[in-house]
Amino acid sequence: MKVTKLVALKNNFFRVEFDNGEYLRVHEEGLIKHVLYNGKELTDEDFEQIKSTLDFDRAYIKAIHYISFKLRSEYEIYTYLSEDFSEEVILRTIERLVNENYINDSIYAEALKNTMLNTTDKGPLLFKRELEKKRVPKSIIDDAVEAFKESIEPDRLIKIRDKELKKYKGSKNLFKKKLTERLMTKGYTLDFMSIIPSDVEFDDVEFFEKDFEKYYNRHARKYRGFDLKNRVIRSLLGRGYSYSQIEERIGSIEDDFIWSDDES
């Protein structure tokens, strides 16, 4: 059989047509490797051998193109190639990519660590979760997560605290709880709370007054006297305000509660 035509396709691929009606889709690297040109004579055995190796060539080129956008884990490459190629072709391709250092899960984990540290405020647990999703080996994950933790500076956590503080309205005590919850959702463990300086200026008087008025008016619709007082205290304690702060405020309007008892 003889090559009768080479047709240029997209992405440096060519359609190689033969005089018996057969054709192959070959990357330019494959043309050079198999010395395919117009008029080239091939035996049936040559044709089948070339055909069997083209999948490997195509898988390799496809993987290189995929990696060119950003680093990928070995699992990502496997998943990406599994859409079009057999297990044997994929494993051979991955082996070649590993040998040529196009795939290196340790380098991948290091790159992801630096990206998350520099462009996000996420913590080590979310970093670990990302590596686990990409099926990076556990030994690499453990080392990378430890390195992530060691790279966390107080300023990183202070920025999260200040961001939450700007939109928070409530008691100082409850803010600590909310901040802890926020840090945990971002992938930090409780021990990171101790890294955050406690010298933040926080005046919750304004929020206390608004909450006091809200709960007093709400409960005063149904309750009087001791019941009213008790329910207001419980509501405000639930909002994180101190008992002494609440008692002092109630003391300023004690007559209202006494009047309510007499009224009943």
Side-chain angles (χ1 to χ4, degrees):
M1 57 193 308
K2 181 190 295 185
V3 176
T4 58
K5 192 175 184 181
L6 299 178
V7 181
L9 305 174
K10 292 181 179 179
N11 300 320
N12 298 319
F13 277 91
F14 289 82
R15 176 185 172 99
V16 181
E17 299 181 358
F18 297 87
D19 57 4
N20 64 351
E22 295 275 9
Y23 71 90
L24 297 173
R25 186 171 182 271
V26 185
H27 191 269
E28 62 180 1
E29 181 183 283
L31 290 181
I32 297 171
K33 178 180 178 180
H34 301 294
V35 196
L36 295 173
Y37 54 86
N38 274 328
K40 172 71 179 283
E41 293 278 357
L42 296 176
T43 65
D44 289 344
E45 184 179 349
D46 291 334
F47 179 81
E48 290 301 325
Q49 185 177 2
I50 292 173
K51 189 176 180 180
S52 67
T53 60
L54 283 180
D55 269 355
F56 174 65
D57 294 338
R58 288 196 302 112
Y60 178 79
I61 295 300
K62 184 173 182 178
I64 290 294
H65 181 69
Y66 187 50
I67 294 170
S68 69
F69 294 102
K70 69 173 186 176
L71 289 177
R72 311 284 183 176
S73 69
E74 183 173 324
Y75 173 73
E76 284 182 285
I77 297 295
Y78 181 93
T79 303
Y80 182 65
L81 295 180
S82 65
E83 299 174 0
D84 300 306
F85 302 99
S86 67
E87 178 87 1
E88 180 184 0
V89 169
I90 295 171
L91 294 180
R92 284 180 61 199
T93 302
I94 288 177
E95 182 181 7
R96 179 180 175 182
L97 292 168
V98 169
N99 290 337
E100 295 175 353
N101 214 34
Y102 283 114
I103 297 178
N104 185 316
D105 279 349
S106 293
I107 294 176
Y108 174 83
E110 175 70 13
L112 181 61
K113 172 180 74 71
N114 293 334
T115 298
M116 290 185 68
L117 283 171
N118 294 327
T119 64
T120 77
D121 59 3
K122 295 177 181 178
L125 295 183
L126 292 185
F127 170 60
K128 179 180 180 181
R129 192 176 303 167
E130 284 298 312
L131 293 178
E132 289 174 340
K133 282 168 56 178
K134 303 302 170 55
R135 306 286 180 89
V136 172
K138 186 178 183 301
S139 58
I140 294 177
I141 292 178
D142 291 342
D143 290 342
V145 170
E146 191 60 34
F148 191 106
K149 290 179 179 179
E150 293 173 359
S151 300
I152 294 175
E153 300 289 341
D155 283 351
R156 184 178 182 83
L157 302 175
I158 291 173
K159 287 179 181 178
I160 298 175
R161 179 201 67 187
D162 291 347
K163 184 178 179 180
E164 292 300 308
L165 195 58
K166 286 181 180 179
K167 59 186 180 182
Y168 178 75
K169 297 179 181 180
S171 69
K172 184 175 182 178
N173 290 332
L174 191 59
F175 175 71
K176 293 178 181 179
K177 179 183 177 183
K178 295 292 185 182
L179 179 59
T180 300
E181 293 173 351
R182 184 59 174 161
L183 287 173
M184 292 180 71
T185 62
K186 285 183 173 291
Y188 295 91
T189 50
L190 288 176
D191 52 307
F192 281 100
M193 279 295 294
S194 62
I195 298 178
I196 305 177
S198 57
D199 58 351
V200 59
E201 295 184 7
F202 194 106
D203 185 358
D204 61 11
V205 173
E206 179 184 352
F207 304 129
F208 174 75
E209 286 299 325
K210 288 181 179 179
D211 280 342
F212 184 88
E213 183 178 352
K214 179 178 73 174
Y215 289 115
Y216 178 85
N217 291 335
R218 177 184 298 176
H219 294 308
R221 298 189 193 107
K222 296 182 180 180
Y223 306 99
R224 297 287 184 271
F226 177 78
D227 282 345
L228 173 58
K229 179 179 179 180
N230 190 43
R231 289 178 183 278
V232 170
I233 291 175
R234 283 192 297 174
S235 294
L236 292 171
L237 286 174
R239 291 288 295 165
Y241 299 107
S242 67
Y243 187 78
S244 60
Q245 186 179 18
I246 300 169
E247 277 285 290
E248 182 180 353
R249 182 66 178 86
I250 286 178
S252 69
I253 58 169
E254 190 70 40
D255 290 346
D256 290 355
F257 292 100
I258 295 174
W259 178 85
S260 297
D261 274 331
D262 293 341
E263 180 76 9
S264 60

